[in-house]
Amino acid sequence: MSGKRFAVFLSMKGCKGRCVYCDQKAITGENPPSPEEIKNAIESSDIDFEEICFFGGSFTCLPTKNQRDYLQISKDLSIPARMSTHPMCIDQRALDLLSEFPITMIELGISSLDDETLALCRRGYTGDDGLRAIELIMRNNYDVCAQLMIGLPGQTMESSLMDIKRLAELKGPRDMTLRIYPCLVLENTELYRMMGDGYEPLKIEDTVTWGGELLFNAEKMGFKVQRIGLSETPSLAKAVAGGPHHPALGEMIRGYGMAKKLSCISKEGPWFLPANRISLLTGHGGMGLKEMAKIVGLTIEETKKRIFVRTSVVD
Ligand code: SF4
């Protein structure tokens, strides 16, 4: 489906404040297009888009007319929409407006549920506010995606794991999707200045462990993890001044998650892996394999010998 998404980046439109790590313009390198421009671009494209996505701002805090104008495209072209928004931009009135349009999912920026981290990041909500917003979205029968971050000021792996535990308790047997974004330091942000004031961005290896633990536990709790890490763009690469910036970070984290999963099935092996999953362990200098050897307490060579490839593939 991702190839059939028409993504619109709203560059912090609707945001009440500016979170310390955020510079949407640097991430996307775009100014937001007008509804007419979006409609024209979709209509003149050869692609049969299945979804229009409004990302990079606080959609439900945009003036009502703007929201309607954007969502009308969705109605006119019969292509459902999804949007990302801020927890404090969710109330019954906002959801009632969305109910007039075809919406597939609401994505909520729940970078953390830890109040100290949220305050340090100037996110403008508390953990309880975040949970209340998710509950209201689910009560209105929308699919929800929580966009989590790791490596934020004041945040620890333990607090991240506590966040997904709280989300799992809230969701119960209902579906919930997650995205996991390791925190990057962009030049034109408050976080960049905070680096000189004691904030230490995560290193790649620590990000792989933290992200991998989060992924492993999230999948065990029944979450679907849709994406890990930001999409690489030339403007992002130019703006990154610190933090775990690597084009294959998501794959490396998934490699750790896979190592952790296999080690839970058996501490000694043999382990069987579908053909299209083996690169999660062997790719990027065999990072997943090294992590697995560490977890199970065997040498890398010995661990490798006990892994067998199945010819079947999984999606
Ligand atoms: S709410 Fe989201 S888009 Fe707006 S400033 Fe914060 S991180 Fe950026």
Side-chain angles (χ1 to χ4, degrees):
M1 171 99 165
S2 60
K4 302 256 183 119
R5 285 191 177 134
F6 189 92
V8 179
F9 292 96
L10 293 173
S11 274
M12 296 191 271
K13 290 276 179 280
C15 299
K16 301 281 183 213
R18 181 161 171 194
C19 309
V20 294
Y21 49 77
C22 185
D23 184 4
Q24 286 295 334
K25 205 155 174 210
I27 295 174
T28 63
E30 290 175 22
N31 282 316
S34 68
E36 294 67 36
E37 286 168 329
I38 298 169
K39 200 170 175 191
N40 289 341
I42 295 175
E43 282 179 324
S44 58
S45 167
D46 294 336
I47 301 169
D48 244 348
F49 288 107
E50 291 173 7
E51 198 177 36
I52 306 173
C53 308
F54 298 98
F55 290 149
S58 301
F59 189 90
T60 51
C61 264
L62 286 172
T64 305
K65 179 170 178 344
N66 290 162
Q67 291 186 55
R68 285 188 182 284
D69 288 349
Y70 278 128
L71 294 175
Q72 191 60 39
I73 311 167
S74 202
K75 216 173 193 175
D76 291 349
L77 302 180
S78 300
I79 305 173
R82 79 161 69 191
M83 66 281 299
S84 60
T85 195
H86 184 277
M88 297 310 277
C89 295
I90 290 293
D91 56 21
Q92 194 53 52
R93 230 174 109 192
L95 295 172
D96 286 345
L97 191 154
L98 298 187
S99 70
E100 297 171 31
F101 300 93
I103 307 293
T104 41
M105 181 176 271
I106 298 174
E107 300 206 15
L108 211 56
I110 298 284
S111 43
S112 162
L113 291 172
D114 181 286
D115 287 345
E116 193 196 327
T117 295
L118 291 170
L120 286 169
C121 293
R122 304 222 187 98
R123 287 286 292 151
Y125 68 91
T126 64
D128 286 348
D129 291 330
L131 292 176
R132 260 195 302 274
I134 291 192
E135 173 58 29
L136 189 59
I137 293 172
M138 288 195 296
R139 223 182 313 132
N140 280 261
N141 295 317
Y142 289 106
D143 285 340
V144 66
C145 171
Q147 302 174 342
L148 304 174
M149 292 182 71
I150 60 175
L152 294 169
Q155 195 185 29
T156 61
M157 187 162 85
E158 288 66 38
S159 76
S160 260
L161 293 172
M162 183 52 74
D163 290 349
I164 53 167
K165 209 166 152 229
R166 290 176 78 187
L167 288 173
E169 277 161 15
L170 178 72
K171 85 174 179 65
R174 296 175 286 191
D175 289 339
M176 194 188 289
T177 301
L178 302 180
R179 292 181 189 252
I180 300 173
Y181 294 119
C183 181
L184 296 175
V185 183
L186 307 179
E187 248 170 22
N188 181 27
T189 62
E190 181 62 27
L191 194 60
Y192 181 61
R193 286 175 278 282
M194 285 164 80
M195 270 208 303
D197 216 12
Y199 168 67
E200 277 187 40
L202 277 183
K203 296 189 177 61
I204 301 259
E205 311 82 73
D206 300 332
T207 310
V208 170
T209 310
W210 184 338
E213 287 290 337
L214 194 61
L215 170 69
F216 169 72
N217 283 284
E219 287 186 338
K220 216 164 67 172
M221 290 173 190
F223 292 99
K224 179 179 174 230
V225 179
Q226 184 178 344
R227 179 171 186 96
I228 304 171
L230 290 169
S231 302
E232 194 57 38
T233 64
S235 51
L236 174 69
K238 231 164 79 189
V240 175
H245 182 226
H246 191 293
L249 192 62
E251 281 288 288
M252 283 148 62
I253 290 175
R254 286 196 189 274
Y256 183 101
M258 177 60 78
K260 193 76 201 262
K261 203 159 143 186
L262 293 175
S263 71
C264 278
I265 295 170
S266 161
K267 275 275 172 229
E268 293 150 11
W271 299 283
F272 299 92
L273 215 56
N276 63 339
R277 289 284 189 272
I278 193 72
S279 65
L280 288 176
L281 295 183
T282 57
H284 313 293
M287 196 167 189
L289 197 60
K290 283 183 209 152
E291 293 294 348
M292 182 149 172
K294 242 192 277 169
I295 296 169
V296 295
L298 295 171
T299 63
I300 295 173
E301 267 317 300
E302 192 51 44
T303 309
K304 201 171 169 185
K305 266 195 231 158
R306 300 184 191 193
I307 295 174
F308 296 90
V309 180
R310 279 210 196 106
T311 43
S312 59
V313 294
V314 291
D315 291 335

